[in-house]
Amino acid sequence: MRLSRYFLPVLKEEPAEAKIVSHRYMLRAGMIKQAAAGIYSWLPLGFKVLKKIENIVHEEQVRAGHIPMLMPTLQSADLWRESGRYDDYGQEMLRISDRHGRDMLYGPTNEELITDIFRSHVNSYKDLPLTLYHIQWKFRDEVRPRFGVMRGREFLMKDGYNFDLTKEDALHAYNRHLVSYLRSYERMGLQAIPMRADGGPIGGDYTHEFLVLAETGESEVFYDSEVTDLTFGDREIDYDSVEACQGVLEEFTSRYARTDETHDEALFADVPADRQRSARGIEVGQIFYFGTKYSEAMGATVVDSNQKQVPVHMGSHGIGVSRLLGAIIEANHDDKGIIWPEGVTPFHVGIVNLKQGDDEADAACEALYQSITALGLEPLYDDRKERAGGKFATMDLIGLPWRITVGPRGLKNGVVELTNRRTGVSEEMAPEAAIEKVAGIYAKI
Ligand code: ATP
Ligand code: MG
C-alpha cells in the first residue's frame, strides 16, 4: 500500500476523551472513530488488525477441530424466554421491537440460538462430540462504556459452544479450548494467563478467564509469579488426545492464579512469599463448562446407546476479539506509539522515502516495494512529499515492527537502513539484505 493512496487519518492532537494509552493511540493512529458511546467505526488500519486477530482465532479453532458458522446479531426474544434469561439479563440487553411489535434483541451472547439449532438437527449420540463457533458482533448496553474498544457496547466476540454426551467429553472440549486459546494469544504476541474465575449464577468450578497483565486492567488478580514463566511455544498437540489436553490444563492451571472474584487469602498464603504477586489484568477470554443447564431448559437431548433421551453436556467459550486490540497495545507500546507484534501487524514493513521526488530514491523505494510484495508481504510505503521527521513520527505511531529508510546519501553507498520498532536499533545494509532479513522473520510467524 502506498500511503498517498491510503486512508490513514492520523490525529495530531491528543484526544481528550481517551483515558488510557491504547484508546489514545487507536484514535491518534486513525484506527477507529467513535460512532456513538461504546460503538466504533473501524477505519482501514484498525480493520486490518481486527481481521488479523480474527484470522488467528479462526485458524486455531479449526486446528482444534471446532466448526465455524455464523449466527445473526438480532435474535427473537422467544428463545430467551424459554431459557429464562430474557428477564434475568437485565438492562445490559438491548431490546428492540420490529414493525409487527415482536420482541427482538441484539444478542449479547448466543447460547439460546445455538441450543435451538442443535435441538432442531441433532438427535443421536452418534453425532457427538460437536463444537460450533462463530465470530460475530455482540451488544451489551454497558453502564459505563469506556477505554475505547476495551469496554464497548458493540464488540466482536468469538463464541464457541460444545455439545457432548458425557461430562468427561465436555471437559475434554473445555481443555481443547484452553489449549487453543493459549496458542491464539501467543500468536498475537500476548501472554494471557488462565485464572480460575467465578462461575456467576451458573456456578461450578469449571471456568477460567484469560488475563493479560496490564496496569490499566479492570480486574484485580493474584498469582504465583511462576505462571508468568509458562509458554506454550510451537509445540505440536494432538487435540484428540484427552491426556495431552489435560496435561496442558494441569501445566497452566496448577499454580495459584485467580481473579479477585475467586481469590482466597488462605490458599494464596501457601504460595512462597517471594512469588506472591498482585496486579491488574485485562480479561481477553473465558471458557466455561456448565453441564446441562441450557440443554435441560431447552430440551436439547440426544438418544444414547441405550435408546434413552439424555440432555447434552455443554460449555461456552469466548474470546474478546475487538478488546484484544486494546490489550495488545496496552502490552506493546512506548511513548512514541504502538509496537505491533509481528503476528498481528497491519503491514509487515514500512518504507520511508527520505527524498520523495529524487529519481534514485524513488526508484529504490519502488524496487523494494515490488520485491517485498512479490514475497507475499505487505509493505506500507510512505511516498508522501513530507519531511522526514513527520514520516518517522507516523511510522512510530502506527507501530509497524520494521521500517526501511531510503535516502540519497545511503544509496550512494548502496545501503538502506533497517530499523526495529521495538528496540530502536538501526542497521545499514544493501536493500536485498534488508528484504531477506524481514522475509526471514515473517517466515517464522
Ligand atoms: P467483563 O467481565 O469484562 O464484562 P464478561 O465476563 O462479561 O466480561 P464474557 O461473557 O466472558 O465477558 O465474554 C467473552 C469475552 O468478551 C470477554 O472475555 C471479553 O474479552 C470480551 N468482552 C466482554 N464484554 C466486552 C465489552 N463490553 N467490550 C469488549 N469486549 C468485551
Ligand atoms: Mg468473562
Side-chain angles (χ1 to χ4, degrees):
M1 180 56 63
R2 293 160 209 278
L3 196 44
S4 63
R5 296 187 202 165
Y6 199 45
F7 181 61
L8 184 72
V10 164
L11 302 183
K12 294 268 180 318
E13 318 78 49
E14 284 292 334
E17 73 271 29
K19 302 271 177 287
I20 61 170
V21 73
S22 56
H23 188 196
R24 202 154 60 231
Y25 283 156
M26 286 184 80
L27 291 169
R28 281 194 49 209
M31 297 176 68
I32 50 168
K33 178 172 187 334
Q34 183 172 301
I39 304 177
Y40 291 88
S41 296
W42 293 79
L43 305 182
L45 194 75
F47 181 61
K48 232 161 176 306
V49 182
L50 187 69
K51 285 285 154 188
K52 290 237 170 156
I53 293 173
E54 194 181 325
N55 190 43
I56 290 176
V57 173
H58 269 303
E59 283 180 7
E60 293 304 328
Q61 287 310 301
V62 169
R63 197 196 302 277
H66 306 155
I67 305 169
M69 61 178 295
L70 186 62
M71 289 176 270
T73 52
L74 293 185
Q75 304 181 21
S76 155
D78 295 345
L79 286 175
W80 288 71
R81 291 206 173 94
E82 226 183 293
S83 73
R85 286 211 294 183
Y86 189 63
D87 295 322
D88 291 355
Y89 218 92
Q91 300 226 313
E92 263 189 33
M93 183 187 277
L94 180 66
R95 292 152 212 263
I96 304 163
S97 70
D98 70 10
R99 66 196 298 165
H100 304 292
R102 280 185 289 247
D103 292 332
M104 311 280 292
L105 55 97
Y106 191 140
T109 176
N110 282 61
E111 280 83 2
E112 281 75 2
L113 209 52
I114 196 81
T115 309
D116 182 52
I117 291 168
F118 179 88
R119 71 181 173 186
S120 307
H121 299 288
V122 182
N123 303 307
S124 163
Y125 74 99
K126 291 181 185 150
D127 296 324
L128 304 183
L130 180 65
T131 297
L132 299 167
Y133 78 92
H134 72 161
I135 299 182
Q136 176 63 293
W137 295 91
K138 305 291 185 289
F139 196 96
R140 294 184 187 172
D141 206 351
E142 303 272 357
V143 211
R144 289 179 64 206
R146 57 190 178 145
F147 301 155
V149 299
M150 294 262 248
R151 183 163 299 281
R153 291 199 296 167
E154 189 185 46
F155 60 96
L156 191 60
M157 192 206 284
K158 170 263 161 182
D159 41 325
Y161 305 88
N162 67 285
F163 301 90
D164 289 278
L165 184 62
T166 63
K167 180 176 178 182
E168 290 68 42
D169 289 350
L171 290 179
H172 176 49
Y174 184 91
N175 297 344
R176 276 200 316 272
H177 280 89
L178 181 120
V179 178
S180 64
Y181 281 24
L182 289 171
R183 285 185 64 112
S184 305
Y185 299 126
E186 281 191 22
R187 283 184 61 188
M188 297 170 201
L190 276 182
Q191 181 173 44
I193 303 167
M195 301 203 178
R196 183 191 277 244
D198 184 9
I202 300 167
D205 280 344
Y206 300 100
T207 178
H208 283 92
E209 285 179 348
F210 291 77
L211 285 112
V212 173
L213 299 178
E215 278 164 29
T216 47
E218 289 187 282
S219 316
E220 189 175 14
V221 299
F222 301 85
Y223 59 94
D224 176 339
S225 64
E226 283 194 342
V227 296
T228 56
D229 299 335
L230 301 170
T231 51
F232 190 82
D234 55 5
R235 62 180 107 160
E236 287 298 323
I237 177 129
D238 175 3
Y239 277 107
D240 289 334
S241 161
V242 171
E243 295 72 32
C245 294
Q246 175 76 28
V248 176
L249 173 92
E250 279 160 18
E251 177 184 345
F252 280 83
T253 65
S254 57
R255 294 174 186 76
Y256 193 95
R258 294 186 178 208
T259 63
D260 51 1
E261 287 165 345
T262 53
H263 180 54
D264 181 327
E265 278 296 341
L267 283 177
F268 194 43
D270 291 342
V271 177
D274 62 326
R275 298 199 330 233
Q276 291 177 8
R277 298 280 186 283
S278 77
R280 313 282 311 170
I282 302 167
E283 181 196 329
V284 291
Q286 183 161 17
I287 53 176
F288 222 114
Y289 162 69
F290 46 68
T292 55
K293 179 187 154 100
Y294 292 94
S295 52
E296 281 187 40
M298 296 181 65
T301 59
V302 292
V303 289
D304 68 9
S305 55
N306 301 318
Q307 298 304 308
K308 214 176 115 216
Q309 289 283 342
V310 291
V312 291
H313 287 257
M314 290 176 63
S316 69
H317 316 277
I319 291 188
V321 174
S322 51
R323 178 180 285 181
L324 272 163
L325 275 96
I328 292 170
I329 297 172
E330 290 297 325
N332 298 278
H333 68 269
D334 63 15
D335 55 5
K336 293 188 199 136
I338 303 165
I339 306 174
W340 291 114
E342 269 108 357
V344 297
T345 183
F347 294 95
H348 297 102
V349 54
I351 302 172
V352 169
N353 187 342
L354 291 177
K355 201 161 184 202
Q356 201 71 41
D358 175 273
D359 285 348
E360 232 189 304
D362 290 2
C365 287
E366 200 56 43
L368 277 167
Y369 186 82
Q370 300 299 345
S371 314
I372 293 169
T373 307
L375 290 170
L377 296 176
E378 279 188 286
L380 179 66
Y381 171 22
D382 192 343
D383 59 344
R384 298 169 305 161
K385 280 216 156 78
E386 274 250 358
R387 53 185 188 82
K391 291 189 176 185
F392 290 145
T394 300
M395 282 294 173
D396 283 345
L397 175 64
I398 68 171
L400 310 185
W402 296 93
R403 185 186 81 206
I404 301 178
T405 309
V406 180
R409 208 177 310 155
L411 288 175
K412 283 212 170 60
N413 301 321
V415 296
V416 295
E417 196 180 63
L418 178 66
T419 308
N420 180 307
R421 173 68 181 86
R422 193 176 291 276
T423 61
V425 173
S426 292
E427 291 173 273
E428 289 197 333
M429 57 184 85
E432 301 72 36
I435 295 171
E436 200 179 314
K437 178 150 181 190
V438 169
I441 284 153
Y442 284 108
K444 292 193 214 107
I445 301 293

